[in-house]
Short mmCIF file of all heavy atoms in Angstrom, two decimals:
data_model
loop_
_atom_site.label_atom_id
_atom_site.label_comp_id
_atom_site.label_asym_id
_atom_site.label_seq_id
_atom_site.Cartn_x
_atom_site.Cartn_y
_atom_site.Cartn_z
N MET A 1 -37.62 -6.54 -7.58
CA MET A 1 -37.28 -5.26 -6.99
C MET A 1 -37.90 -5.44 -5.52
O MET A 1 -39.02 -5.79 -5.25
CB MET A 1 -38.05 -4.17 -7.71
CG MET A 1 -37.86 -2.87 -7.11
SD MET A 1 -38.44 -1.34 -8.06
CE MET A 1 -39.47 -1.98 -9.35
N ASP A 2 -37.11 -4.96 -4.57
CA ASP A 2 -37.55 -5.08 -3.19
C ASP A 2 -38.33 -3.90 -2.83
O ASP A 2 -38.48 -2.93 -3.51
CB ASP A 2 -36.43 -5.37 -2.23
CG ASP A 2 -35.43 -4.26 -2.02
OD1 ASP A 2 -35.85 -3.06 -2.23
OD2 ASP A 2 -34.28 -4.43 -1.74
N GLU A 3 -38.94 -3.85 -1.64
CA GLU A 3 -39.84 -2.82 -1.19
C GLU A 3 -39.16 -1.51 -0.94
O GLU A 3 -39.70 -0.45 -0.97
CB GLU A 3 -40.61 -3.27 0.06
CG GLU A 3 -41.53 -4.42 -0.14
CD GLU A 3 -42.19 -4.86 1.10
OE1 GLU A 3 -42.25 -4.11 2.12
OE2 GLU A 3 -42.63 -6.02 1.15
N THR A 4 -37.89 -1.50 -0.72
CA THR A 4 -37.09 -0.27 -0.39
C THR A 4 -36.68 0.56 -1.65
O THR A 4 -36.23 1.65 -1.57
CB THR A 4 -35.95 -0.48 0.56
OG1 THR A 4 -35.01 -1.48 -0.23
CG2 THR A 4 -36.24 -1.13 1.90
N THR A 5 -36.74 -0.19 -2.74
CA THR A 5 -36.29 0.44 -4.01
C THR A 5 -37.50 1.25 -4.70
O THR A 5 -38.50 0.51 -4.86
CB THR A 5 -35.80 -0.61 -4.93
OG1 THR A 5 -34.59 -1.26 -4.29
CG2 THR A 5 -35.26 0.09 -6.20
N GLU A 6 -37.28 2.40 -4.86
CA GLU A 6 -38.46 3.15 -5.48
C GLU A 6 -37.95 3.74 -6.87
O GLU A 6 -36.82 4.32 -6.90
CB GLU A 6 -38.98 4.42 -4.65
CG GLU A 6 -39.55 4.04 -3.38
CD GLU A 6 -40.05 5.21 -2.56
OE1 GLU A 6 -40.38 6.28 -3.24
OE2 GLU A 6 -40.06 5.09 -1.40
N LEU A 7 -38.66 3.61 -7.88
CA LEU A 7 -38.37 4.19 -9.12
C LEU A 7 -38.90 5.61 -9.19
O LEU A 7 -40.07 5.77 -8.90
CB LEU A 7 -38.96 3.32 -10.31
CG LEU A 7 -38.27 1.95 -10.50
CD1 LEU A 7 -39.02 1.20 -11.62
CD2 LEU A 7 -36.71 1.96 -10.76
N GLN A 8 -38.06 6.50 -9.47
CA GLN A 8 -38.51 7.85 -9.63
C GLN A 8 -38.61 8.24 -11.11
O GLN A 8 -37.92 7.79 -11.94
CB GLN A 8 -37.45 8.80 -8.92
CG GLN A 8 -37.27 8.73 -7.53
CD GLN A 8 -36.33 9.85 -6.97
OE1 GLN A 8 -36.29 10.91 -7.55
NE2 GLN A 8 -35.66 9.47 -6.00
N ARG A 9 -39.51 9.15 -11.30
CA ARG A 9 -39.60 9.79 -12.65
C ARG A 9 -38.35 10.48 -12.87
O ARG A 9 -37.76 11.11 -12.06
CB ARG A 9 -40.89 10.74 -12.64
CG ARG A 9 -40.97 11.30 -14.09
CD ARG A 9 -42.36 12.12 -14.06
NE ARG A 9 -42.47 12.75 -15.33
CZ ARG A 9 -42.00 14.04 -15.70
NH1 ARG A 9 -41.52 14.72 -14.70
NH2 ARG A 9 -42.20 14.55 -16.93
N LEU A 10 -37.91 10.50 -14.25
CA LEU A 10 -36.63 11.11 -14.60
C LEU A 10 -37.01 12.32 -15.41
O LEU A 10 -37.87 12.28 -16.26
CB LEU A 10 -35.82 10.14 -15.37
CG LEU A 10 -35.28 8.94 -14.60
CD1 LEU A 10 -34.49 8.00 -15.65
CD2 LEU A 10 -34.47 9.30 -13.43
N LEU A 11 -36.39 13.40 -15.12
CA LEU A 11 -36.65 14.68 -15.76
C LEU A 11 -35.57 14.91 -16.85
O LEU A 11 -34.45 14.50 -16.76
CB LEU A 11 -36.53 15.83 -14.84
CG LEU A 11 -37.56 15.71 -13.64
CD1 LEU A 11 -37.30 17.00 -12.80
CD2 LEU A 11 -39.03 15.78 -14.19
N THR A 12 -35.85 15.59 -17.91
CA THR A 12 -34.89 15.90 -18.96
C THR A 12 -34.27 17.30 -18.58
O THR A 12 -34.65 17.99 -17.66
CB THR A 12 -35.62 16.27 -20.34
OG1 THR A 12 -36.53 17.33 -20.19
CG2 THR A 12 -36.37 14.97 -20.75
N VAL A 13 -33.22 17.64 -19.29
CA VAL A 13 -32.47 18.89 -19.12
C VAL A 13 -33.48 20.05 -19.12
O VAL A 13 -33.53 21.02 -18.30
CB VAL A 13 -31.41 19.15 -20.14
CG1 VAL A 13 -30.85 20.53 -19.99
CG2 VAL A 13 -30.25 18.11 -19.81
N HIS A 14 -34.35 19.97 -20.15
CA HIS A 14 -35.33 21.06 -20.40
C HIS A 14 -36.31 21.18 -19.28
O HIS A 14 -36.64 22.30 -18.82
CB HIS A 14 -36.04 20.93 -21.70
CG HIS A 14 -36.96 22.10 -22.02
ND1 HIS A 14 -36.41 23.27 -22.43
CD2 HIS A 14 -38.23 22.19 -22.04
CE1 HIS A 14 -37.36 24.14 -22.63
NE2 HIS A 14 -38.61 23.46 -22.41
N GLU A 15 -36.76 20.06 -18.74
CA GLU A 15 -37.69 20.07 -17.60
C GLU A 15 -37.07 20.62 -16.32
O GLU A 15 -37.64 21.38 -15.62
CB GLU A 15 -38.25 18.67 -17.33
CG GLU A 15 -39.19 18.20 -18.46
CD GLU A 15 -39.54 16.67 -18.36
OE1 GLU A 15 -38.69 15.92 -17.91
OE2 GLU A 15 -40.70 16.39 -18.72
N VAL A 16 -35.81 20.27 -16.09
CA VAL A 16 -35.17 20.86 -14.83
C VAL A 16 -34.99 22.33 -14.97
O VAL A 16 -35.21 23.03 -14.12
CB VAL A 16 -33.81 20.10 -14.66
CG1 VAL A 16 -33.02 20.90 -13.55
CG2 VAL A 16 -34.01 18.63 -14.32
N ALA A 17 -34.53 22.69 -16.24
CA ALA A 17 -34.39 24.16 -16.49
C ALA A 17 -35.73 24.97 -16.22
O ALA A 17 -35.83 26.06 -15.71
CB ALA A 17 -33.94 24.40 -17.94
N GLU A 18 -36.96 24.29 -16.67
CA GLU A 18 -38.22 24.97 -16.45
C GLU A 18 -38.53 25.09 -15.02
O GLU A 18 -38.95 26.21 -14.56
CB GLU A 18 -39.26 24.21 -17.15
CG GLU A 18 -39.33 24.35 -18.65
CD GLU A 18 -40.53 23.68 -19.28
OE1 GLU A 18 -41.10 22.77 -18.63
OE2 GLU A 18 -40.87 23.93 -20.44
N VAL A 19 -38.20 24.06 -14.21
CA VAL A 19 -38.53 24.12 -12.78
C VAL A 19 -37.56 25.13 -12.15
O VAL A 19 -38.12 25.86 -11.26
CB VAL A 19 -38.25 22.70 -12.19
CG1 VAL A 19 -38.24 22.71 -10.64
CG2 VAL A 19 -39.19 21.67 -12.66
N LEU A 20 -36.37 25.26 -12.47
CA LEU A 20 -35.48 26.31 -11.95
C LEU A 20 -35.58 27.65 -12.54
O LEU A 20 -35.04 28.57 -11.93
CB LEU A 20 -33.95 25.81 -12.12
CG LEU A 20 -33.47 24.50 -11.47
CD1 LEU A 20 -32.12 24.06 -11.77
CD2 LEU A 20 -33.64 24.58 -9.90
N GLY A 21 -36.34 27.84 -13.65
CA GLY A 21 -36.54 29.09 -14.24
C GLY A 21 -35.29 29.56 -14.93
O GLY A 21 -34.93 30.71 -14.88
N THR A 22 -34.48 28.55 -15.38
CA THR A 22 -33.21 28.96 -16.12
C THR A 22 -33.23 28.41 -17.59
O THR A 22 -34.21 27.75 -18.02
CB THR A 22 -32.02 28.37 -15.39
OG1 THR A 22 -32.15 26.90 -15.33
CG2 THR A 22 -31.94 28.86 -13.92
N ALA A 23 -32.11 28.63 -18.20
CA ALA A 23 -31.84 28.10 -19.54
C ALA A 23 -31.29 26.69 -19.48
O ALA A 23 -30.75 26.39 -18.40
CB ALA A 23 -30.94 29.03 -20.39
N ASP A 24 -31.48 25.96 -20.55
CA ASP A 24 -30.93 24.60 -20.59
C ASP A 24 -29.43 24.52 -20.33
O ASP A 24 -28.93 23.69 -19.65
CB ASP A 24 -31.22 23.93 -21.90
CG ASP A 24 -32.70 23.71 -22.15
OD1 ASP A 24 -33.51 24.04 -21.33
OD2 ASP A 24 -33.07 22.99 -23.19
N GLY A 25 -28.77 25.54 -20.83
CA GLY A 25 -27.32 25.67 -20.76
C GLY A 25 -26.84 25.71 -19.19
O GLY A 25 -25.84 25.22 -18.90
N PHE A 26 -27.64 26.31 -18.44
CA PHE A 26 -27.35 26.45 -17.02
C PHE A 26 -27.39 25.07 -16.30
O PHE A 26 -26.47 24.75 -15.59
CB PHE A 26 -28.23 27.43 -16.24
CG PHE A 26 -27.98 27.49 -14.77
CD1 PHE A 26 -26.84 28.22 -14.32
CD2 PHE A 26 -28.72 26.85 -13.77
CE1 PHE A 26 -26.59 28.25 -12.91
CE2 PHE A 26 -28.59 26.93 -12.42
CZ PHE A 26 -27.42 27.65 -11.98
N VAL A 27 -28.36 24.30 -16.67
CA VAL A 27 -28.52 23.07 -16.19
C VAL A 27 -27.21 22.12 -16.64
O VAL A 27 -26.63 21.34 -15.86
CB VAL A 27 -29.73 22.29 -16.59
CG1 VAL A 27 -29.81 20.84 -16.05
CG2 VAL A 27 -30.91 23.03 -16.05
N ARG A 28 -26.81 22.28 -17.90
CA ARG A 28 -25.71 21.56 -18.38
C ARG A 28 -24.39 21.98 -17.67
O ARG A 28 -23.43 21.25 -17.51
CB ARG A 28 -25.52 21.78 -19.89
CG ARG A 28 -26.66 21.16 -20.65
CD ARG A 28 -26.55 21.08 -22.23
NE ARG A 28 -27.73 20.58 -22.91
CZ ARG A 28 -27.91 19.34 -22.96
NH1 ARG A 28 -27.07 18.39 -22.56
NH2 ARG A 28 -28.95 18.87 -23.61
N GLN A 29 -24.36 23.28 -17.28
CA GLN A 29 -23.22 23.69 -16.50
C GLN A 29 -23.22 23.07 -15.12
O GLN A 29 -22.11 22.69 -14.60
CB GLN A 29 -23.16 25.29 -16.39
CG GLN A 29 -22.91 25.99 -17.56
CD GLN A 29 -23.06 27.53 -17.41
OE1 GLN A 29 -23.57 28.03 -16.34
NE2 GLN A 29 -22.69 28.28 -18.41
N LEU A 30 -24.40 22.96 -14.56
CA LEU A 30 -24.46 22.18 -13.21
C LEU A 30 -23.91 20.74 -13.33
O LEU A 30 -23.30 20.25 -12.54
CB LEU A 30 -25.93 22.21 -12.69
CG LEU A 30 -26.43 23.65 -12.32
CD1 LEU A 30 -27.95 23.42 -11.92
CD2 LEU A 30 -25.76 24.18 -11.16
N VAL A 31 -24.32 20.12 -14.45
CA VAL A 31 -23.89 18.76 -14.73
C VAL A 31 -22.34 18.77 -14.87
O VAL A 31 -21.66 17.94 -14.24
CB VAL A 31 -24.59 18.21 -15.95
CG1 VAL A 31 -23.89 16.94 -16.37
CG2 VAL A 31 -26.04 18.01 -15.63
N ALA A 32 -21.73 19.66 -15.58
CA ALA A 32 -20.34 19.71 -15.90
C ALA A 32 -19.62 19.82 -14.62
O ALA A 32 -18.48 19.30 -14.46
CB ALA A 32 -19.95 20.72 -16.95
N ALA A 33 -20.12 20.68 -13.64
CA ALA A 33 -19.47 21.08 -12.44
C ALA A 33 -19.89 19.92 -11.32
O ALA A 33 -19.35 20.09 -10.20
CB ALA A 33 -19.88 22.34 -11.95
N ARG A 34 -20.59 18.97 -11.69
CA ARG A 34 -21.18 17.96 -10.78
C ARG A 34 -21.85 18.53 -9.58
O ARG A 34 -21.68 18.12 -8.38
CB ARG A 34 -19.95 16.99 -10.35
CG ARG A 34 -19.29 16.38 -11.37
CD ARG A 34 -20.24 15.33 -12.07
NE ARG A 34 -19.50 14.25 -12.96
CZ ARG A 34 -19.27 14.45 -14.25
NH1 ARG A 34 -19.78 15.49 -14.82
NH2 ARG A 34 -18.76 13.48 -14.85
N ARG A 35 -22.69 19.52 -9.81
CA ARG A 35 -23.38 20.21 -8.69
C ARG A 35 -24.81 19.73 -8.53
O ARG A 35 -25.59 20.11 -7.54
CB ARG A 35 -23.46 21.72 -9.04
CG ARG A 35 -22.17 22.46 -9.30
CD ARG A 35 -21.55 23.16 -8.10
NE ARG A 35 -22.32 23.70 -7.04
CZ ARG A 35 -22.79 24.85 -6.97
NH1 ARG A 35 -22.38 25.78 -7.94
NH2 ARG A 35 -23.44 25.37 -6.01
N ILE A 36 -25.30 18.92 -9.48
CA ILE A 36 -26.64 18.23 -9.38
C ILE A 36 -26.53 16.85 -9.79
O ILE A 36 -25.68 16.46 -10.49
CB ILE A 36 -27.62 19.06 -10.24
CG1 ILE A 36 -29.03 18.58 -9.92
CG2 ILE A 36 -27.26 18.85 -11.72
CD1 ILE A 36 -30.11 19.43 -10.59
N ARG A 37 -27.35 16.03 -9.14
CA ARG A 37 -27.33 14.52 -9.41
C ARG A 37 -27.91 14.34 -10.83
O ARG A 37 -28.96 14.84 -11.15
CB ARG A 37 -28.08 13.74 -8.34
CG ARG A 37 -27.43 13.45 -7.05
CD ARG A 37 -28.05 12.42 -6.16
NE ARG A 37 -29.44 12.77 -5.98
CZ ARG A 37 -30.48 11.86 -6.26
NH1 ARG A 37 -30.23 10.71 -6.82
NH2 ARG A 37 -31.73 12.21 -6.08
N PHE A 38 -27.32 13.38 -11.48
CA PHE A 38 -27.93 13.13 -12.83
C PHE A 38 -27.58 11.72 -13.29
O PHE A 38 -26.67 11.06 -12.64
CB PHE A 38 -27.44 14.07 -13.88
CG PHE A 38 -25.98 13.98 -14.14
CD1 PHE A 38 -25.47 13.25 -15.24
CD2 PHE A 38 -25.09 14.62 -13.37
CE1 PHE A 38 -24.14 13.10 -15.55
CE2 PHE A 38 -23.70 14.61 -13.59
CZ PHE A 38 -23.15 13.79 -14.72
N LEU A 39 -28.20 11.19 -14.35
CA LEU A 39 -27.84 9.97 -14.90
C LEU A 39 -27.55 10.07 -16.37
O LEU A 39 -28.13 11.03 -16.96
CB LEU A 39 -28.98 8.92 -14.63
CG LEU A 39 -29.53 8.53 -13.31
CD1 LEU A 39 -30.57 9.44 -12.91
CD2 LEU A 39 -29.93 7.18 -13.33
N ARG A 40 -26.77 9.19 -16.86
CA ARG A 40 -26.62 9.05 -18.24
C ARG A 40 -27.30 7.93 -18.81
O ARG A 40 -27.15 6.88 -18.47
CB ARG A 40 -25.18 9.03 -18.78
CG ARG A 40 -24.43 10.37 -18.52
CD ARG A 40 -23.06 10.29 -19.37
NE ARG A 40 -22.30 11.47 -18.92
CZ ARG A 40 -22.51 12.60 -19.54
NH1 ARG A 40 -23.34 12.81 -20.46
NH2 ARG A 40 -21.71 13.62 -19.24
N VAL A 41 -28.37 8.14 -19.68
CA VAL A 41 -29.10 7.10 -20.33
C VAL A 41 -28.64 7.13 -21.88
O VAL A 41 -29.23 7.97 -22.55
CB VAL A 41 -30.59 7.24 -20.15
CG1 VAL A 41 -31.37 6.09 -20.80
CG2 VAL A 41 -31.02 7.49 -18.71
N GLY A 42 -27.70 6.32 -22.08
CA GLY A 42 -27.14 6.37 -23.46
C GLY A 42 -26.43 7.82 -23.45
O GLY A 42 -25.56 8.13 -22.60
N LYS A 43 -26.81 8.54 -24.49
CA LYS A 43 -26.16 9.93 -24.66
C LYS A 43 -26.94 11.03 -23.92
O LYS A 43 -26.59 12.19 -24.06
CB LYS A 43 -25.99 10.21 -26.08
CG LYS A 43 -27.29 10.38 -26.89
CD LYS A 43 -27.02 10.73 -28.36
CE LYS A 43 -28.39 10.96 -29.11
NZ LYS A 43 -28.18 11.41 -30.39
N HIS A 44 -28.16 10.58 -23.35
CA HIS A 44 -29.06 11.58 -22.79
C HIS A 44 -28.82 11.73 -21.30
O HIS A 44 -28.49 10.81 -20.61
CB HIS A 44 -30.55 11.10 -23.03
CG HIS A 44 -30.87 10.80 -24.46
ND1 HIS A 44 -31.09 11.93 -25.36
CD2 HIS A 44 -30.97 9.64 -25.08
CE1 HIS A 44 -31.33 11.38 -26.48
NE2 HIS A 44 -31.26 9.97 -26.40
N LEU A 45 -28.98 12.97 -20.88
CA LEU A 45 -28.93 13.30 -19.39
C LEU A 45 -30.34 13.16 -18.85
O LEU A 45 -31.20 13.72 -19.47
CB LEU A 45 -28.40 14.72 -19.15
CG LEU A 45 -26.91 14.86 -19.61
CD1 LEU A 45 -26.56 16.42 -19.50
CD2 LEU A 45 -25.99 14.08 -18.74
N ARG A 46 -30.40 12.60 -17.73
CA ARG A 46 -31.67 12.53 -17.12
C ARG A 46 -31.45 12.80 -15.46
O ARG A 46 -30.46 12.51 -15.00
CB ARG A 46 -32.42 11.15 -17.11
CG ARG A 46 -32.78 10.88 -18.56
CD ARG A 46 -33.97 11.79 -19.01
NE ARG A 46 -34.33 11.45 -20.33
CZ ARG A 46 -33.97 12.12 -21.45
NH1 ARG A 46 -33.09 13.07 -21.37
NH2 ARG A 46 -34.38 11.73 -22.65
N PHE A 47 -32.52 13.31 -14.84
CA PHE A 47 -32.36 13.71 -13.43
C PHE A 47 -33.54 13.13 -12.68
O PHE A 47 -34.69 13.33 -12.99
CB PHE A 47 -32.44 15.25 -13.40
CG PHE A 47 -31.43 15.99 -14.23
CD1 PHE A 47 -31.69 16.18 -15.50
CD2 PHE A 47 -30.22 16.39 -13.70
CE1 PHE A 47 -30.76 16.71 -16.36
CE2 PHE A 47 -29.29 17.01 -14.45
CZ PHE A 47 -29.58 17.24 -15.82
N PRO A 48 -33.20 12.49 -11.56
CA PRO A 48 -34.27 12.00 -10.69
C PRO A 48 -35.06 13.24 -10.12
O PRO A 48 -34.48 14.27 -9.89
CB PRO A 48 -33.58 11.36 -9.53
CG PRO A 48 -32.22 11.15 -9.87
CD PRO A 48 -31.93 12.15 -11.07
N VAL A 49 -36.29 13.10 -10.01
CA VAL A 49 -37.12 14.23 -9.50
C VAL A 49 -36.59 14.84 -8.16
O VAL A 49 -36.55 16.04 -8.08
CB VAL A 49 -38.63 13.78 -9.30
CG1 VAL A 49 -39.46 14.82 -8.62
CG2 VAL A 49 -39.31 13.48 -10.62
N SER A 50 -35.95 13.93 -7.35
CA SER A 50 -35.51 14.29 -5.98
C SER A 50 -34.20 15.19 -6.11
O SER A 50 -33.80 15.88 -5.25
CB SER A 50 -35.29 13.18 -5.14
OG SER A 50 -34.26 12.34 -5.76
N ALA A 51 -33.61 15.10 -7.27
CA ALA A 51 -32.40 15.96 -7.49
C ALA A 51 -32.54 17.39 -7.43
O ALA A 51 -31.73 18.12 -6.97
CB ALA A 51 -31.67 15.44 -8.74
N VAL A 52 -33.82 17.88 -7.93
CA VAL A 52 -33.97 19.35 -7.97
C VAL A 52 -34.11 19.88 -6.53
O VAL A 52 -33.41 20.87 -6.27
CB VAL A 52 -35.25 19.67 -8.78
CG1 VAL A 52 -35.56 21.05 -8.75
CG2 VAL A 52 -35.02 19.10 -10.28
N PRO A 53 -35.04 19.33 -5.65
CA PRO A 53 -35.07 19.93 -4.29
C PRO A 53 -33.75 19.75 -3.49
O PRO A 53 -33.35 20.61 -2.72
CB PRO A 53 -36.18 19.20 -3.59
CG PRO A 53 -36.55 18.11 -4.54
CD PRO A 53 -36.01 18.38 -5.86
N GLU A 54 -32.95 18.72 -3.76
CA GLU A 54 -31.66 18.53 -3.18
C GLU A 54 -30.72 19.58 -3.61
O GLU A 54 -29.99 20.22 -2.77
CB GLU A 54 -31.01 17.15 -3.57
CG GLU A 54 -31.65 16.06 -2.88
CD GLU A 54 -31.19 14.76 -3.42
OE1 GLU A 54 -30.22 14.69 -4.25
OE2 GLU A 54 -31.75 13.58 -3.08
N TYR A 55 -30.73 19.98 -4.89
CA TYR A 55 -29.89 21.00 -5.36
C TYR A 55 -30.34 22.27 -4.72
O TYR A 55 -29.50 23.20 -4.26
CB TYR A 55 -29.95 21.13 -6.93
CG TYR A 55 -29.23 22.46 -7.38
CD1 TYR A 55 -27.89 22.52 -7.40
CD2 TYR A 55 -30.05 23.42 -7.91
CE1 TYR A 55 -27.32 23.75 -7.91
CE2 TYR A 55 -29.50 24.61 -8.23
CZ TYR A 55 -28.13 24.75 -8.29
OH TYR A 55 -27.50 25.90 -8.71
N LEU A 56 -31.65 22.65 -4.77
CA LEU A 56 -32.10 23.86 -4.12
C LEU A 56 -31.77 24.00 -2.67
O LEU A 56 -31.35 25.07 -2.22
CB LEU A 56 -33.56 23.97 -4.37
CG LEU A 56 -34.06 24.20 -5.87
CD1 LEU A 56 -35.58 24.16 -5.95
CD2 LEU A 56 -33.48 25.52 -6.43
N ALA A 57 -31.84 22.94 -1.95
CA ALA A 57 -31.44 22.98 -0.46
C ALA A 57 -29.98 23.25 -0.37
O ALA A 57 -29.56 23.98 0.54
CB ALA A 57 -31.86 21.62 0.13
N ALA A 58 -29.13 22.75 -1.28
CA ALA A 58 -27.71 22.89 -1.20
C ALA A 58 -27.34 24.31 -1.46
O ALA A 58 -26.30 24.84 -1.02
CB ALA A 58 -26.98 21.98 -2.11
N VAL A 59 -28.10 25.05 -2.29
CA VAL A 59 -27.68 26.34 -2.67
C VAL A 59 -28.49 27.53 -1.95
O VAL A 59 -28.26 28.65 -2.24
CB VAL A 59 -27.76 26.59 -4.22
CG1 VAL A 59 -26.84 25.71 -4.89
CG2 VAL A 59 -29.13 26.40 -4.70
N THR A 60 -29.37 27.09 -1.09
CA THR A 60 -30.23 28.14 -0.35
C THR A 60 -29.46 28.68 0.66
O THR A 60 -28.67 28.20 1.45
CB THR A 60 -31.43 27.34 0.28
OG1 THR A 60 -32.20 26.81 -0.67
CG2 THR A 60 -32.26 28.32 1.11
N VAL A 61 -29.43 30.08 0.66
CA VAL A 61 -28.77 30.91 1.73
C VAL A 61 -29.84 31.37 2.71
O VAL A 61 -30.76 32.03 2.26
CB VAL A 61 -28.08 32.12 0.91
CG1 VAL A 61 -27.42 33.03 2.01
CG2 VAL A 61 -27.20 31.69 -0.05
N GLU A 62 -29.60 30.99 3.94
CA GLU A 62 -30.48 31.40 4.93
C GLU A 62 -30.23 32.87 5.41
O GLU A 62 -29.01 33.28 5.44
CB GLU A 62 -30.43 30.47 6.17
CG GLU A 62 -30.84 29.02 5.83
CD GLU A 62 -32.28 28.94 5.43
OE1 GLU A 62 -33.06 29.76 5.96
OE2 GLU A 62 -32.54 27.95 4.70
N PRO A 63 -31.22 33.56 5.86
CA PRO A 63 -31.04 34.92 6.25
C PRO A 63 -30.26 34.92 7.63
O PRO A 63 -30.31 34.06 8.45
CB PRO A 63 -32.40 35.60 6.47
CG PRO A 63 -33.21 34.36 6.64
CD PRO A 63 -32.63 33.30 5.88
N LEU A 64 -29.52 36.06 7.90
CA LEU A 64 -28.80 36.25 9.10
C LEU A 64 -29.91 36.52 10.27
O LEU A 64 -30.92 37.14 9.90
CB LEU A 64 -27.79 37.40 8.99
CG LEU A 64 -26.59 37.05 8.13
CD1 LEU A 64 -25.82 38.35 8.02
CD2 LEU A 64 -25.79 35.94 8.52
N PRO A 65 -29.55 36.18 11.48
CA PRO A 65 -30.52 36.62 12.61
C PRO A 65 -30.54 38.13 12.70
O PRO A 65 -29.64 38.80 12.52
CB PRO A 65 -29.87 35.86 13.75
CG PRO A 65 -28.48 35.47 13.42
CD PRO A 65 -28.37 35.44 11.89
N SER A 66 -31.73 38.57 13.12
CA SER A 66 -31.96 39.96 13.35
C SER A 66 -31.08 40.53 14.44
O SER A 66 -30.79 39.84 15.44
CB SER A 66 -33.45 40.26 13.70
OG SER A 66 -33.63 41.59 13.99
N ARG A 67 -30.53 41.75 14.24
CA ARG A 67 -29.63 42.33 15.23
C ARG A 67 -30.34 43.38 16.06
O ARG A 67 -29.87 44.10 16.81
CB ARG A 67 -28.45 43.02 14.53
CG ARG A 67 -27.56 42.04 13.91
CD ARG A 67 -26.43 42.78 13.28
NE ARG A 67 -25.50 41.70 12.87
CZ ARG A 67 -24.14 41.96 12.98
NH1 ARG A 67 -23.70 43.10 13.53
NH2 ARG A 67 -23.30 40.95 12.49
N GLY A 68 -31.69 43.35 16.00
CA GLY A 68 -32.49 44.21 16.83
C GLY A 68 -32.69 45.68 16.36
O GLY A 68 -33.32 46.50 16.96
N TRP A 69 -32.22 45.91 15.14
CA TRP A 69 -32.52 47.28 14.50
C TRP A 69 -32.95 47.05 13.11
O TRP A 69 -32.79 46.00 12.54
CB TRP A 69 -31.17 48.05 14.54
CG TRP A 69 -29.99 47.33 13.94
CD1 TRP A 69 -28.99 46.70 14.67
CD2 TRP A 69 -29.44 47.29 12.64
NE1 TRP A 69 -28.04 46.12 13.79
CE2 TRP A 69 -28.31 46.53 12.53
CE3 TRP A 69 -29.95 47.70 11.35
CZ2 TRP A 69 -27.67 46.22 11.38
CZ3 TRP A 69 -29.23 47.51 10.23
CH2 TRP A 69 -28.08 46.72 10.22
N SER A 70 -33.65 48.00 12.65
CA SER A 70 -34.33 47.81 11.34
C SER A 70 -33.56 48.77 10.22
O SER A 70 -32.92 49.66 10.63
CB SER A 70 -35.83 48.25 11.38
OG SER A 70 -35.83 49.57 11.71
N ALA A 71 -33.70 48.31 9.11
CA ALA A 71 -32.95 49.06 7.91
C ALA A 71 -33.54 50.28 7.61
O ALA A 71 -34.71 50.47 7.47
CB ALA A 71 -32.70 48.01 6.87
#
């Protein structure tokens, strides 16, 4: 293995669901829609640790700039 290759810890469906605060089924829906990076290890789904913050960055909605008036 060369110096640029890093092995990441792999998370299970349940671990990703816990981090996201969702049910396991939601994570499986993300996989089915190819909305999150994952690996298949045999019949098991695994997720690199970096896949979770990448997914969160992709779905984060930034606030609109202030228009100078308050609500």
Side-chain angles (χ1 to χ4, degrees):
M1 178 172 17
D2 70 28
E3 294 177 23
T4 60
T5 303
E6 291 183 31
L7 292 178
Q8 290 188 35
R9 180 170 179 268
L10 299 177
L11 304 174
T12 65
V13 169
H14 186 70
E15 290 171 327
V16 173
E18 283 183 345
V19 171
L20 296 178
T22 65
D24 293 4
F26 178 74
V27 176
R28 292 185 185 281
Q29 288 176 351
L30 293 176
V31 167
R34 301 294 196 265
R35 305 265 331 262
I36 190 168
R37 278 192 313 123
F38 67 96
L39 298 94
R40 288 198 187 275
V41 181
K43 66 179 182 175
H44 305 283
L45 294 173
R46 295 293 183 262
F47 304 83
V49 171
S50 62
V52 177
E54 287 172 4
Y55 169 74
L56 292 174
V59 298
T60 298
V61 178
E62 297 296 334
L64 294 174
S66 175
R67 292 183 172 217
W69 48 272
S70 60

